[in-house]
Amino acid sequence: MNVYDIANWVTGCFEAYYMYLLFETFLKHREGVPKWIYYAVSFCAAILINISNYLFFSLNVLNYPLMMLIGFVISFAYKGRSVFRFLTSVLWMMISAVAEVLTIFALSIVFNAKIEEIIEQGYLRLIGIAISKILGYIFIKFITSKSSRNIKYINASYWGLFVFMFLSSALVMGTFCKVLADGTSKYVYNLIMLCSCGVVCTTIAVLYLFERMLKQQDLLAQQHLLKMQLENQVKHYRL
């Protein structure tokens, strides 16, 4: 397994994670189903997506409908009307497609390369995968943060970190592209590709952990408010 295979399989994992975020936002868990079941379902989705990408990556016209079908089937782990499941699956597929298309066109303009060259060969494809996954995550978080479940604790500090991490990742990716364009050894080439995957994973991990911290702070604030209300009620009844 070379660095190209690793990048392709990591792609499916990120897309499954995006699906999980959308389903967690717009659909509801079934009663009595433990949390780990949904993690296991997301893992199975990653495997199915990678199989779809492996079989039909060069034929995106077939790949996208198959991915949408995978999302629709996976959505039955959640509770909700079929139309909501279908629309959420379509939204997930469209976000992935738009992120990839925008990234490809941006790379073709910046590096004056043909779209076929970016898709089929070279380091531009690997860099494009990394950038498209970060861009897809931005789209996903923007959409999910607007829901009533997340809007309470997604604040300006989160978006400030979001912008900082995205610009830092873009700067690192641009530097990697410059080094690779000037030519380098195979060892450094593979090392840069692995570091590119690490940049993407680190960016998303930092944002995820920061979001969890904000959510925990919001929960503690709500508990403190309830405690204060309870103490005031006790004082009122004592009087």
Side-chain angles (χ1 to χ4, degrees):
M1 178 177 289
N2 55 33
V3 68
Y4 293 98
D5 296 327
I6 295 175
N8 290 335
W9 282 93
V10 169
T11 296
C13 296
F14 277 112
E15 290 174 349
Y17 177 58
Y18 301 158
M19 179 196 298
Y20 172 79
L21 291 177
L22 286 175
F23 286 171
E24 289 288 311
T25 300
F26 297 112
L27 301 177
K28 296 182 179 180
H29 288 188
R30 294 185 180 275
E31 291 83 355
V33 178
K35 189 74 172 180
W36 67 267
I37 292 293
Y38 294 94
Y39 294 144
V41 168
S42 299
F43 179 76
C44 293
I47 295 177
L48 293 175
I49 292 169
N50 280 319
I51 293 175
S52 175
N53 290 335
Y54 178 77
L55 294 177
F56 300 106
F57 187 83
S58 59
L59 300 172
N60 285 326
V61 175
L62 294 177
N63 191 27
Y64 288 137
L66 183 56
M67 288 178 60
M68 186 174 64
L69 177 61
I70 292 172
F72 182 68
V73 172
I74 294 296
S75 69
F76 279 90
Y78 293 83
K79 190 172 60 173
R81 296 172 59 185
S82 296
V83 64
F84 291 146
R85 294 194 186 100
F86 176 75
L87 291 176
T88 305
S89 302
V90 171
L91 177 63
W92 164 68
M93 186 271 296
M94 289 180 62
I95 290 174
S96 299
V98 169
E100 291 176 1
V101 170
L102 290 177
T103 300
I104 290 174
F105 277 107
L107 290 177
S108 66
I109 294 174
V110 173
F111 295 97
N112 193 24
K114 295 181 179 180
I115 295 178
E116 293 78 7
E117 295 175 352
I118 298 174
I119 294 177
E120 295 178 358
Q121 60 183 356
Y123 65 90
L124 289 178
R125 175 183 172 184
L126 297 178
I127 298 298
I129 290 175
I131 294 176
S132 66
K133 295 309 112 182
I134 294 177
L135 187 60
Y137 186 75
I138 291 175
F139 292 157
I140 292 289
K141 292 308 298 180
F142 180 79
I143 293 173
T144 57
S145 66
K146 297 303 180 181
S147 71
S148 59
R149 299 181 190 178
N150 300 329
I151 198 171
K152 294 180 180 179
Y153 60 88
I154 297 295
N155 52 26
S157 61
Y158 177 84
W159 291 115
L161 179 63
F162 208 121
V163 172
F164 174 77
M165 293 299 297
F166 177 73
L167 293 179
S168 300
S169 300
L171 179 62
V172 171
M173 293 298 178
T175 304
F176 285 166
C177 285
K178 178 61 177 176
V179 172
L180 294 175
D182 293 339
T184 184
S185 64
K186 185 177 180 180
Y187 171 77
V188 175
Y189 177 88
N190 290 331
L191 186 61
I192 287 178
M193 291 300 101
L194 291 176
C195 289
S196 298
C197 296
V199 168
V200 178
C201 295
T202 301
T203 299
I204 295 179
V206 168
L207 293 172
Y208 172 78
L209 292 175
F210 189 71
E211 180 183 347
R212 295 285 295 182
M213 183 191 71
L214 291 177
K215 188 175 182 179
Q216 186 67 24
Q217 288 180 346
D218 180 71
L219 180 61
L220 291 175
Q222 291 180 13
Q223 291 177 347
H224 179 71
L225 180 61
L226 291 174
K227 181 179 179 182
M228 293 293 295
Q229 292 176 347
L230 181 61
E231 290 178 352
N232 290 334
Q233 289 179 356
V234 171
K235 290 180 181 179
H236 174 74
Y237 286 122
R238 285 179 177 177
L239 292 177

